[in-house]
Amino acid sequence: IGDRGEIFLANHALPVATNREYKFLYLSPAEIPVDEKEKVAQALSEKLDMDKDYLILRLQEDSLYELIRDKMTDEAVSPIEELKLPGVYFKEEIVREYPYGDFASHVLGFVNEDGEGQYGAEEFFNDVLRGKEEFWEGIKGPLGYFFPGLSNSDNKGADLQLTIDYNIQYLAEKLLRGAEKTLNIEGGTIIVIDPNTGKLLALAGLPSFNPSEYSEETDFSVFQSDATQKIFEPGSVFKPITMAAAIDQGKITPETTYQDPGVLEIGGWPIYNYDQRTYPGDITMTQVLEKSINTGAVFAESQLGHKKFLEYITNFGIFEKTGIDLQGETASKNAEFKKGYEINYATASFGQGIEMTPLQLARAFSVIANGGKLIKPYLVEQDQEISNNNIISPQTASKVTAMLVSVVENGFGKAARVPGYYVAGKTGTAQVSYSSLGINQKGYSDKTWQSFIGFAPAFNPQFLVLVKLNNPAAKTAEYSAVPIFQTLAKYIIDYYQIPPDHNENE
């Protein structure tokens, strides 16, 4: 670990992963005369505040090495050294330290006792941090190294500069911990990304862990990132993707109307709106998003057609990993959805029965925010390849953005408003399937995933935020995820000093 590079976050001078030299104390019982053992045990028990009988027991061992205490500071060591006790030794060790406890733990991962990175950036960039020559040879181009986020000297480990902004990450984690107390959430994630480039500004998740004390964890699932390694059904936050595809194909416009039947029967399955609500009269596609009407999303998908719907969500990256530079990213095969039954397409149009990671959803939503391009999320600055192929046209992206502004101004997203700024966003409350809970049963539990995804300023976005909460004690995302988004969005707007885009009194 000694020469392992340190890890830094943006806008913070001190490393969040570093190395520290400690000493550890061990005994060599075989070297200690029998008549001296009592005296050694007594002296050590006083200086170390340890049980004398325990030490005597260790001194009875027929061995040359008995570890008694690790991670000792020089202050703790010197009084023992002064005693000059026989068979008592100190050895130096270099330990990987995470000075901020569980802060950004899923981003960082940890280093195991063999000096190998596990999870997060520690594992993904293990060779870089250790300074393996073959890595540097592999990335050296005609203009030198093309990872501006890495710095290296003499084949020692490179320091890693992550794009995660310390201040935004701090607030995101604080908001999740607040939701743990006030909404009793069972976990969740907040992702903040620049939708134009893919640069990640925050990747917060609960439950978290302390990388310095990884060995004390008994449930290894805590090491997995909710954002990149756990799949979920997004619910209504997926409706704008359906709308974008249908608008892009010219099958509907934001003003297209339909009649809400209240309940749809497809293949013997009933589809209801939330709370079994009905909406009389002509309903526009914009109102479908404002009021989050399931039958309206099914209508939009039916106008588009299943084949094209599948083509678009494939292009939006829902079935493939994002390629983020973090260890262990997963993607659902969506085997059930791909069976292609009529009911599968219908429910997928409003985000049920189709699975993805929160990061896949954030990337898909970025297509709407940035005018139609599919980006690759990243944590270390690198040469970005942003495709020239538009997933949707800039005109479509602009129309859907205006619809999402209407959701915040007139619909269930009102609590996301930031005075002086147009915010585009969408709520989602999805039922958690039994299979997601590890229960071998078809259908859905009473638990919910509640989320809000939005970007601002809507027509020139500087950031996109996804708030996803696991089973909060609230009826819908309007009361759980939306206020959290608003707090974070307002903070980032002030932090970035983004000028207002309209006068509130207009």
Side-chain angles (χ1 to χ4, degrees):
I1 293 175
D3 288 337
R4 193 177 182 89
E6 296 180 306
I7 302 178
F8 295 84
L9 300 188
N11 295 315
H12 191 66
L14 300 172
V16 288
T18 185
N19 311 309
R20 186 168 170 191
E21 197 174 276
Y22 285 104
K23 288 182 177 168
F24 60 91
L25 183 156
Y26 71 95
L27 304 176
S28 181
E31 294 181 40
I32 304 172
V34 176
D35 59 348
E36 293 272 313
K37 293 194 178 193
E38 172 88 19
K39 182 182 120 187
V40 169
Q42 179 66 41
L44 288 178
S45 75
E46 289 171 10
K47 297 292 182 188
L48 296 170
D49 193 23
M50 282 179 87
D51 181 58
K52 180 183 168 187
D53 292 338
Y54 167 76
L55 289 165
I56 287 174
L57 209 61
R58 298 295 295 275
L59 287 167
Q60 305 306 325
E61 297 289 338
D62 182 19
S63 95
L64 294 169
Y65 182 88
E66 292 293 316
L67 178 64
I68 298 299
R69 181 160 290 178
D70 61 3
K71 291 190 181 177
M72 294 182 70
T73 60
D74 287 343
E75 296 79 47
V77 166
S78 60
I80 298 171
E81 280 183 327
E82 286 168 11
L83 297 174
K84 295 189 167 50
L85 296 168
V88 176
Y89 296 102
F90 290 98
K91 201 169 179 184
E92 287 183 354
E93 60 175 346
I94 294 172
V95 174
R96 190 65 160 175
E97 274 217 336
Y98 303 88
Y100 300 93
D102 66 353
F103 181 68
S105 57
H106 293 111
V107 173
L108 299 174
F110 58 87
V111 176
N112 67 18
E113 57 187 20
D114 297 323
E116 297 292 333
Q118 305 286 296
Y119 297 91
E122 290 278 30
E123 184 171 351
F124 191 89
F125 288 102
N126 190 50
D127 288 354
V128 183
L129 290 159
R130 289 177 62 192
K132 286 195 173 177
E133 285 184 51
E134 55 267 34
F135 173 83
W136 293 105
E137 291 308 312
I139 69 161
K140 201 181 284 186
L143 300 174
Y145 303 123
F146 57 76
F147 274 76
L150 307 179
S151 57
N152 163 267
S153 62
D154 304 329
N155 279 338
K156 284 186 177 177
D159 288 341
L160 211 53
Q161 175 70 56
L162 302 185
T163 58
I164 296 292
D165 186 292
Y166 179 90
N167 300 305
I168 298 174
Q169 178 78 17
Y170 180 84
L171 179 56
E173 291 193 16
K174 184 179 175 185
L175 289 167
L176 278 180
R177 280 195 301 274
E180 205 171 24
K181 290 194 183 85
T182 60
L183 294 164
N184 205 24
I185 61 170
E186 294 172 9
T189 192
I190 295 178
I191 297 171
V192 185
I193 192 169
D194 180 338
N196 305 295
T197 62
K199 178 190 285 195
L200 279 157
L201 305 166
L203 206 58
L206 279 182
S208 58
F209 63 96
N210 185 336
S212 295
E213 297 167 2
Y214 73 89
S215 60
E216 293 175 22
E217 294 291 347
T218 52
D219 179 5
F220 291 168
S221 69
V222 76
F223 299 140
Q224 292 184 318
S225 162
D226 194 284
T228 62
Q229 295 179 290
K230 294 180 184 174
I231 56 174
F232 81 122
E233 296 179 30
S236 295
V237 282
F238 197 71
K239 285 174 183 163
I241 308 291
T242 305
M243 291 291 180
I247 290 170
D248 203 55
Q249 282 293 302
K251 301 299 183 184
I252 59 168
T253 71
E255 294 77 36
T256 297
T257 60
Y258 89 115
Q259 303 273 331
D260 169 35
V263 60
L264 277 170
E265 186 112 350
I266 295 176
W269 295 89
I271 289 179
Y272 298 99
N273 295 320
Y274 172 72
D275 237 6
Q276 300 195 8
R277 291 175 189 168
T278 54
Y279 299 88
D282 286 344
I283 303 289
T284 68
M285 293 298 103
T286 297
Q287 288 172 319
V288 166
L289 290 187
E290 285 173 7
K291 302 178 195 303
S292 206
I293 307 173
N294 292 345
T295 60
V298 177
F299 170 82
E301 194 278 334
S302 71
Q303 300 305 295
L304 176 62
H306 301 337
K307 190 179 170 195
K308 277 289 174 191
F309 180 56
L310 183 60
E311 196 179 294
Y312 270 90
I313 56 180
T314 302
N315 292 341
F316 268 98
I318 299 304
F319 304 130
E320 63 180 20
K321 295 176 185 178
T322 69
I324 184 179
D325 42 354
L326 262 188
Q327 200 57 36
E329 185 186 16
T330 52
S332 171
K333 291 188 172 65
N334 275 288
E336 193 60 37
F337 166 69
K338 286 181 178 173
K339 286 178 181 173
Y341 297 126
E342 192 81 11
I343 186 67
N344 296 6
Y345 286 105
T347 60
S349 73
F350 54 86
Q352 289 273 185
I354 185 167
E355 301 173 320
M356 60 208 68
T357 63
L359 189 63
Q360 284 177 304
L361 179 64
R363 175 170 74 154
F365 228 80
S366 293
V367 171
I368 297 168
N370 69 29
K373 304 260 191 270
L374 192 67
I375 53 164
K376 178 184 166 188
Y378 65 91
L379 279 166
V380 171
E381 292 284 3
Q382 51 196 270
D383 284 358
Q384 283 303 298
E385 293 174 23
I386 296 175
S387 167
N388 289 322
N389 301 329
N390 275 49
I391 306 300
I392 53 174
S393 72
Q395 293 80 5
T396 297
S398 187
K399 285 174 186 171
V400 179
T401 296
M403 293 167 84
L404 293 170
V405 168
S406 203
V407 170
V408 173
E409 293 296 315
N410 311 306
F412 290 141
K414 285 193 185 79
R417 287 180 183 159
V418 179
Y421 299 86
Y422 287 120
V423 175
K426 183 71 188 79
T427 53
T429 301
Q431 287 175 276
V432 179
S433 65
Y434 285 116
S435 60
S436 296
L437 297 169
I439 300 167
N440 188 16
Q441 185 181 333
K442 280 190 182 280
Y444 289 85
S445 71
D446 292 334
K447 293 190 174 190
T448 59
W449 285 299
Q450 297 182 15
S451 50
F452 185 84
I453 188 164
F455 51 90
F459 299 101
N460 180 25
Q462 307 296 300
F463 61 91
L464 177 146
V465 175
L466 167 61
V467 178
K468 178 221 169 202
L469 307 175
N470 302 347
N471 201 36
K475 201 170 182 191
T476 65
E478 183 181 359
Y479 308 104
S480 61
V482 179
I484 291 173
F485 168 90
Q486 198 276 346
T487 302
L488 191 54
K490 183 165 189 330
Y491 171 80
I492 297 170
I493 283 169
D494 294 343
Y495 181 47
Y496 282 4
Q497 299 184 321
I498 300 170
D501 58 7
H502 71 281
N503 188 327
E504 268 301 286
N505 302 318
E506 283 175 6

